[in-house]
Amino acid sequence: MMETMDTEQELDLLDRQLVQALRLDGRASFSRLATVLGVTDQTVIRRYRRLRGGGLLRVIGLPEAHRVGLHETRLRIQCALGAAVPIADALARRADSAWVKIYSSGTEVGCLIRSHSRDERDALLLQKLPRTQHVTAITSHDLLHGYSRNPGRRWGAEVLDEGQVRALERPQATDGDRVRLDDADRAMLALLARDGRAGYPDLARAAGRSESTVRRRLDHLRESGVLYFDVEIMPVHFGCETEASLSATVAPSDLAEVGHALAGHPEVAWAAATTGTSNLAATVLCRDNKALYAYVTERLGALKAVRQLEVVPVLRAVKRAGLLTDGTRLFDPPAGG
């Protein structure tokens, strides 16, 4: 049985080192991780199992949406008083929702939908949500471009020295053409979305292919930038108790520069260009409201191309990284009803 962990327990230095190491290479072997961290294999395995079993850490393998034909749409849904929680829960149960959050007003739900086709997206926007009781308004924006960032440089996680980082980091793959996935690919990706460290025997069984074939395919998808690995961890255990959603308006000529600058900030967990008047969206994680104020006024304030900014605190994150504890899978068809 896996060890469990008190959700109020703070991560120690080795825990933090392991988190950063896994962000740099989510599928690095335990022996390689142990060598880089200067501990034994069994120590790394124990730490990983304790964090994973306690629900504090999860390595996930996710595709670059535009490379596999997924349409990403950011929704802001206004709800009647008292309706946000059930509406957020219903959205979180959908296989096509990547994340779902309730904002601080308690009457607004934000979510990111990844649809297999525009018809699937339109069915949600034009049929399902408008007919949902207590939904009073919907704002929808398509994601145009996601801004990449160094996975090992993130809020509170920079605890490895440069030599350790170099030993683990992988070259950044350049963007490429759309890749057509077959059923075996989808089965493999569905498993990796739940457990990015799933073994090759499990991946082979899911895909109905040999282990060698699955290994080659996974390596190809990863090296070509179609598949990436990240670590989902509760921000509070890195001392980040304040989460906020940002919507900014930037001149089109400055959008790429500002987006890449934002993605380079340790406080930013996610950043993307979107359609709409507010054409840049981001998620920010800070220690507290004072730190959020400092981030907005100092680091964001230094980006003179930002013309307008909306900062909306997150009251509750209902779903993160496309996953729920019931095993919802990104590549399952959207839930009906």
Side-chain angles (χ1 to χ4, degrees), residues 11 13-34 36-37 41 43-53 56-62 149-154 157-160 164-170 172 192 195-198 222 227-233 238:
L11 277 65
L13 177 60
L14 181 56
D15 291 330
R16 292 167 181 258
Q17 289 177 324
L18 179 56
V19 170
Q20 187 181 1
L22 288 170
R23 279 187 171 140
L24 290 164
D25 186 354
R27 287 191 64 84
S29 67
F30 286 125
S31 60
R32 184 179 173 213
L33 292 169
V36 172
L37 299 181
D41 293 13
T43 297
V44 170
I45 292 170
R46 272 198 310 273
R47 289 299 181 109
Y48 175 76
R49 287 179 174 172
R50 180 161 59 93
L51 293 168
R52 179 72 167 87
L56 302 185
L57 173 152
R58 179 169 45 196
V59 177
I60 51 177
L62 298 172
R149 61 193 314 276
N150 188 329
R153 309 290 189 188
R154 198 173 299 177
E158 295 184 45
V159 290
L160 299 180
Q164 291 171 312
V165 170
R166 284 195 300 270
L168 286 166
E169 65 183 350
R170 296 171 59 89
Q172 294 289 318
L192 290 171
D195 180 7
R197 293 184 63 84
R222 194 176 187 188
L227 175 66
Y228 67 95
F229 290 87
D230 202 355
V231 176
E232 179 66 20
I233 189 166
F238 274 96

Side-chain angles (χ1 to χ4, degrees), residues 269-308:
W270 170 85
T274 72
T275 58
T277 304
S278 298
N279 53 0
L280 184 62
T283 297
V284 174
L285 296 160
C286 294
R287 183 177 63 257
D288 51 28
N289 283 341
K290 183 178 180 180
L292 177 61
Y293 173 78
Y295 173 74
V296 170
T297 57
E298 297 171 13
R299 197 183 290 269
L300 266 182
L303 300 175
K304 302 303 182 184
V306 176
R307 296 177 175 177
Q308 293 182 327

Side-chain angles (χ1 to χ4, degrees), residues 3 7 18 21 58 94 104 122 131 136 150 154 162 171 184 192 217 221 226 235 237 274 298 337:
E3 301 175 62
T7 57
L18 179 56
R58 179 169 45 196
R94 292 181 60 94
S104 59
D122 293 348
R131 289 203 293 257
T136 60
N150 188 329
R154 198 173 299 177
E162 289 303 318
L192 290 171
R217 184 58 171 166
L221 293 174
V226 175
H237 295 287
T274 72
E298 297 171 13

Side-chain angles (χ1 to χ4, degrees), residues 119-250:
D119 288 343
E120 286 182 1
R121 180 202 61 186
D122 293 348
L124 175 65
L125 294 177
L126 301 178
Q127 300 174 33
K128 176 62 179 176
L129 283 175
R131 289 203 293 257
T132 300
Q133 193 174 15
H134 303 309
V135 169
T136 60
I138 305 167
T139 304
S140 168
H141 298 295
D142 286 350
L143 266 59
L144 301 178
H145 181 78
Y147 296 104
S148 61
R149 61 193 314 276
N150 188 329
R153 309 290 189 188
R154 198 173 299 177
W155 35 274
E158 295 184 45
V159 290
L160 299 180
D161 62 39
E162 289 303 318
Q164 291 171 312
V165 170
R166 284 195 300 270
L168 286 166
E169 65 183 350
R170 296 171 59 89
Q172 294 289 318
T174 56
D175 202 0
D177 296 331
R178 179 173 169 179
V179 173
R180 189 174 299 278
L181 302 178
D182 60 21
D183 290 342
D185 291 329
R186 294 188 183 93
M188 180 176 68
L189 291 175
L191 178 53
L192 290 171
R194 299 196 305 275
D195 180 7
R197 293 184 63 84
Y200 289 107
D202 292 332
L203 293 170
R205 280 192 292 272
R209 301 280 177 82
S210 68
E211 289 185 35
S212 60
T213 299
V214 164
R215 184 187 297 268
R216 285 194 301 272
R217 184 58 171 166
L218 190 152
D219 288 344
H220 171 71
L221 293 174
R222 194 176 187 188
E223 290 168 6
S224 60
V226 175
L227 175 66
Y228 67 95
F229 290 87
D230 202 355
V231 176
E232 179 66 20
I233 189 166
M234 295 172 65
V236 67
H237 295 287
F238 274 96
C240 297
E241 297 185 356
T242 295
E243 179 175 351
S245 175
L246 305 185
S247 296
T249 302
V250 180

Side-chain angles (χ1 to χ4, degrees), residues 83-123:
V85 171
I87 288 172
D89 286 343
L91 285 166
R93 294 288 170 184
R94 292 181 60 94
D96 55 358
S97 62
W99 49 255
V100 180
K101 300 170 184 178
I102 299 175
Y103 294 136
S104 59
S105 65
T107 58
E108 183 178 4
V109 175
C111 69
L112 179 66
I113 297 294
R114 288 182 173 138
S115 307
H116 293 275
S117 68
R118 296 189 184 277
D119 288 343
E120 286 182 1
R121 180 202 61 186
D122 293 348

